[in-house]
């Protein structure tokens, strides 16, 4: 179970994963060794799973972003094909309930590339795509324990 200090540490690291232990300790009012120990325990418990740079997809040449639902089941299912799942265009892959098997977040350099990707994915089932026009919320910091509402 996480206590209030752990939640404060998580909030700070989600905002800036490059904070030094000295700065983090100042922000959560603990000594640097105490903060380092808490962060180490959060990592060991799998609460903190990594530290990442957030990349602007358009700035790196991937302006076409879409969500693709796959209606695929059985032996040809996309989830059973490691090579397909490893495609660099697939940024996220979620197995879901409902009519779709999975939902993918994909990013590609052009509509032509997107069309080829959809054709390739169709080998696994029925793709249905939704283009991302903008992303008002790209990520949200988890700030405290679930409220249980």
């Amino acid at each position: 179970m996480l206590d209030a200090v752990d939640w404060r540490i998580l909030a700070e690291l989600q905002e800036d994963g490059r904070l030094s232990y000295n700065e983090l300790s100042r922000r959560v009012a603990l000594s640097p060794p105490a903060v380092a120990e808490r962060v180490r325990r959060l990592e060991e418990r799998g609460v903190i799973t990594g530290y990442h740079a957030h990349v602007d997809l358009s700035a790196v040449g991937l302006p076409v972003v879409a969500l693709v639902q796959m209606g695929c089941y059985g032996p040809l299912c996309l989830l059973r094909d490691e090579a397909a799942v490893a495609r660099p265009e697939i940024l996220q892959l979620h197995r879901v309930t409902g009519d779709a098997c999975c939902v993918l977040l994909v990013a590609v350099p052009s509509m032509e590339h997107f069309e080829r990707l959809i054709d390739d994915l169709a080998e696994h089932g029925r793709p249905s795509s939704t283009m991302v026009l903008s992303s008002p919320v790209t990520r949200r910091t988890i700030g405290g324990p679930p409220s249980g509402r």
Side-chain angles (χ1 to χ4, degrees):
M1 193 59 132
L2 303 179
D3 66 14
V5 174
D6 289 334
W7 282 109
R8 289 198 328 259
I9 289 170
L10 288 175
E12 292 294 340
L13 288 176
Q14 287 176 89
E15 287 299 318
D16 184 357
R18 294 174 19 147
L19 286 175
S20 68
Y21 287 138
N22 285 335
E23 178 61 20
L24 184 55
S25 70
R26 188 187 66 71
R27 293 183 185 191
V28 300
L30 284 179
S31 70
V35 164
E37 177 60 23
R38 281 181 177 257
V39 169
R40 184 189 60 75
R41 281 193 310 234
L42 290 167
E43 291 170 344
E44 285 177 353
R45 291 172 46 203
V47 174
I48 296 174
T49 59
Y51 301 87
H52 312 278
H54 296 280
V55 177
D56 180 318
L57 295 172
S58 290
V60 296
L62 299 171
V64 179
V65 179
L67 296 167
V68 179
Q69 289 189 35
M70 289 296 300
C72 56
Y73 302 96
L76 295 179
C77 178
L78 178 74
L79 296 173
R80 295 175 188 223
D81 185 340
E82 291 180 24
V85 169
R87 289 184 69 123
E89 300 96 336
I90 300 174
L91 303 181
Q92 294 180 11
L93 172 60
H94 305 277
R95 186 174 181 197
V96 298
T97 62
D99 293 334
C101 169
C102 55
V103 176
L104 298 71
L105 175 66
V106 302
V108 294
S110 66
M111 286 304 292
E112 293 80 16
H113 190 126
F114 181 71
E115 186 175 357
R116 287 192 306 274
L117 175 64
I118 291 297
D119 289 345
D120 291 348
L121 292 174
E123 295 175 9
H124 299 281
R126 184 182 43 82
S128 174
S129 62
T130 303
M131 302 308 296
V132 174
L133 299 176
S134 67
S135 300
V137 178
T138 56
R139 68 180 189 95
R140 184 159 282 146
T141 299
I142 299 171
S147 63
R149 288 185 241 171

